[in-house]
Amino acid sequence: MSQNIYDNPQFYSGYSQLPRSIEGLSGAPEWSSVRTLLPAIEGARVLDLGCGFGAFDRWAIEHGAKEVIAIDLSRRMLLEARKRTAGASIDYRVGDLAKLDIPERNFDLIYSALAFHYIEDFHSLCRTMRSKLRNGGRLVATVEHPIFSAPRNDQWKEEDGYPFWPLDNYLNEGERVRPWFSAGVTKYHRTIGTYVNTLLDNSFQLVRLIEWGPDAEQVAKHPEWAKERDRPMFLLFAADAIG
């Protein structure tokens, strides 16, 4: 079973204060780039893996999705998602992405935001996702960028007055245990090549890959984000299910 860190009271308290937790999609700086990867939502059947507070699910319903099933391991997150979703026809379910077991198939879109790096066996998850998508259906996902997840010490350093990111350990895939809001948060590092090749090996066709960092307008509004131009924090990808 995957680690359920989001039900840890200390972790949940910290995570709940993030802009994306408070403001929803408008608080996620990568959202405008994610939108470019999405297929038409009108009439679509959508499966959200790692739905959190349900911001994307409410957006999908507002934009005409026919059906939205949203899965998360955290009961705390789902409780809050349901509170924020009064009147919207979203089917929230407790579930472990590492052992995804739902009967529904033929989805038009599987969406996942910052969840896959918590899953040890990405190959198994890709195989399951492909079985849930119709032919031509799309997977859109965001993960921590492998440059962000790789280092032994994932903290900015400074040399001659300039910040730099200490990249090492990149090709050594596997478990990373980090402090983030609480001690002992377990994530899994994998290279860009592993993400792409695992998709290809499971009958997906890569459509687009974005190494996301803030643009000039975002940096102007948030100067503290400038160093994120030196180290992309997120990897975004879209892939279509093929026969």
Side-chain angles (χ1 to χ4, degrees):
M1 183 175 180
S2 301
Q3 181 189 39
N4 186 6
I5 194 66
Y6 285 80
D7 276 349
N8 175 300
Q10 181 182 355
F11 183 96
Y12 182 85
S13 176
Y15 184 84
S16 297
Q17 299 308 308
L18 291 176
R20 68 180 64 237
S21 298
I22 297 170
E23 303 168 25
L25 297 177
S26 64
E30 74 280 8
W31 170 239
S32 61
S33 296
V34 173
R35 285 197 66 171
T36 68
L37 304 178
L38 294 170
I41 298 297
E42 181 75 32
R45 299 181 66 240
V46 178
L47 175 62
D48 184 358
L49 300 181
C51 65
F53 292 147
F56 174 78
D57 311 300
R58 292 186 291 278
W59 180 90
I61 288 293
E62 291 167 2
H63 285 77
K66 178 181 179 181
E67 176 185 12
V68 178
I69 297 175
I71 295 175
D72 204 284
L73 186 60
S74 168
R75 294 180 183 276
R76 282 178 179 260
M77 300 287 279
L78 290 174
L79 178 62
E80 182 62 24
R82 292 186 179 103
K83 288 180 181 177
R84 299 186 187 190
T85 312
S89 54
I90 297 168
D91 183 358
Y92 290 111
R93 302 181 189 180
V94 177
D96 185 352
L97 304 193
K99 300 178 181 178
L100 188 61
D101 183 21
I102 64 170
E104 292 86 356
R105 293 177 179 268
N106 294 315
F107 288 97
D108 300 293
L109 170 66
I110 293 179
Y111 176 83
S112 184
L114 301 177
F116 291 168
H117 48 260
Y118 292 107
I119 304 303
E120 182 175 11
D121 189 349
F122 186 56
H123 179 86
S124 177
L125 177 59
C126 284
R127 183 173 62 245
T128 301
M129 290 191 295
R130 177 61 189 89
S131 74
K132 300 300 179 183
L133 280 169
R134 65 170 177 81
N135 286 340
R138 177 161 294 188
L139 167 66
V140 173
T142 66
V143 296
E144 288 185 350
H145 196 290
I147 289 177
F148 179 80
S149 64
R152 293 177 176 87
N153 184 351
D154 62 338
Q155 299 296 322
W156 288 97
K157 307 294 183 183
E158 188 171 300
E159 185 173 299
D160 298 328
Y162 294 96
F164 70 93
W165 186 252
L167 178 60
D168 66 349
N169 214 25
Y170 183 81
L171 293 178
N172 295 321
E173 298 186 331
E175 184 178 274
R176 303 288 194 272
V177 180
R178 314 283 200 207
W180 187 47
F181 299 128
S182 66
V185 179
T186 301
K187 302 178 183 181
Y188 294 92
H189 165 71
R190 52 186 64 91
T191 67
I192 294 175
T194 292
Y195 275 116
V196 171
N197 289 326
T198 305
L199 291 168
L200 299 179
D201 289 344
N202 284 279
S203 298
F204 283 98
Q205 177 176 296
L206 187 66
V207 175
R208 184 72 62 186
L209 184 72
I210 299 174
E211 297 181 278
W212 185 87
D215 59 25
E217 182 179 351
Q218 289 173 315
V219 171
K221 291 180 180 178
H222 301 275
E224 70 277 13
W225 291 358
K227 63 183 179 182
E228 302 295 342
R229 296 287 303 170
D230 294 326
R231 180 227 52 200
M233 191 169 185
F234 303 131
L235 187 68
L236 287 48
F237 54 83
D240 287 347
I242 58 177

